[in-house]
Amino acid sequence: MQNRPSNAAPAKSQWLKEKQNPNQNLPKQKPITDEEEIDLAPAKWKTVVRRILFVVVMALVIAFVYIFLLLGEPEDEAQKLEAVPEERIVHSISPLEVPGESDATGLAQTFGQPVLSLYPGVLPMERSRIYDTAFEGGFARRVTLTYTLPSGEQLLVESIRPTSAISLMGGEGFHLDGQRAYAIGGVDAAWMDNGQIIRVFGQTENAAYCVTAPYSCKEELPQLIRSTILTAPAAQE
């Protein structure tokens, strides 16, 4: 009798398993349904959107913290930054007129704000005058420096406060020149004339300034106003 191969039984057993489960080696079939199959794997665009949102949120948080630290100062500090109202002049001073050259620093000390003048030596100063003029139930304080032009005519360099008192230097028939930019004492200024006189005026927060000249010096006036300077009062120790 021939011996049966030792691996016959396992082969038969494998054949019976395949007979009982004929589909075990086939790929798994997807269920048949009318609904679309939902892909549960996260889409790439969703990941990108999440990252963008995260960056935006972090930027907003940083901006909020910065604004909080920048603006979250005590209220009294914020009040210090508010514009200080102009001083109302209720007591008049005795007028003072000095012939010849005057010290602009001393005039500014009495005026209470920087005073406009020409650089020393540009034109000879004929006289200086400081006085008060009635204005809106109080007074307007004025400093007028009179210079002599080469033609013998006069050039007036004036400082006045409060700023609204610049209306006292008005007149009739003036036309504003809006084609060119001007400055007096480093302050933005405007030019107006009426064919007889020229006025170049500007203002700071606490004072107004004006240069008045005869119309005949129209050509040299731009150079003269470039020689104007603001002199502040001496510092109090």
Side-chain angles (χ1 to χ4, degrees):
M1 178 185 290
Q2 297 181 354
N3 293 330
R4 182 177 298 177
S6 59
N7 59 352
K12 182 177 181 181
S13 175
Q14 182 69 25
W15 177 82
L16 289 174
K17 289 181 181 180
E18 292 178 356
K19 190 71 173 178
Q20 294 174 357
N21 301 298
N23 299 324
Q24 65 177 354
N25 293 326
L26 297 177
K28 185 176 180 181
Q29 184 177 359
K30 296 181 180 180
I32 299 175
T33 175
D34 294 333
E35 299 179 358
E36 296 182 1
E37 183 179 1
I38 301 175
D39 188 6
L40 298 179
K44 292 183 179 181
W45 67 270
K46 293 181 179 179
T47 303
V48 173
V49 170
R50 290 194 189 99
R51 291 179 180 175
I52 294 175
L53 290 176
F54 176 79
V55 172
V56 171
V57 171
M58 289 302 297
L60 291 175
V61 171
I62 294 173
F64 176 82
V65 173
Y66 176 78
I67 293 173
F68 177 81
L69 293 176
L70 185 64
L71 301 180
E73 299 294 331
E75 292 182 0
D76 57 341
E77 292 294 329
Q79 291 175 357
K80 292 180 182 179
L81 299 177
E82 295 180 358
V84 178
E86 291 185 74
E87 177 188 359
R88 188 169 180 267
I89 302 172
V90 294
H91 299 291
S92 178
I93 62 172
S94 299
L96 176 64
E97 183 171 328
V98 178
E101 298 287 337
S102 294
D103 178 30
T105 303
L107 293 171
Q109 200 74 34
T110 305
F111 182 63
Q113 291 293 329
V115 165
L116 185 70
S117 64
L118 294 179
Y119 280 105
V122 174
L123 289 176
M125 185 186 295
E126 182 178 323
R127 65 179 178 271
S128 63
R129 186 181 179 210
I130 181 166
Y131 60 103
D132 287 346
T133 301
F135 178 71
E136 294 184 348
F139 297 92
R141 187 149 298 166
R142 308 174 70 165
V143 174
T144 302
L145 307 180
T146 304
Y147 294 88
T148 304
L149 293 164
S151 62
E153 298 175 289
Q154 293 181 340
L155 177 81
L156 302 181
V157 178
E158 300 182 78
S159 308
I160 188 168
R161 69 182 183 93
T163 55
S164 55
I166 191 68
S167 59
L168 295 174
M169 300 179 185
E172 296 181 357
F174 279 93
H175 300 282
L176 191 66
D177 178 12
Q179 298 180 352
R180 296 177 58 186
Y182 301 91
I184 51 176
V187 177
D188 291 339
W191 174 303
M192 65 179 184
D193 68 78
N194 62 359
Q196 296 179 345
I197 62 174
I198 302 169
R199 285 199 172 116
V200 184
F201 58 94
Q203 71 175 59
T204 62
E205 292 182 356
N206 300 303
Y209 304 97
C210 182
V211 176
T212 303
Y215 194 80
S216 59
C217 73
K218 178 180 179 181
E219 298 301 324
E220 58 263 38
L221 187 57
Q223 179 61 38
L224 288 173
I225 63 176
R226 281 195 287 269
S227 301
T228 54
I229 182 175
L230 283 176
T231 302
Q236 298 290 337
E237 296 183 357

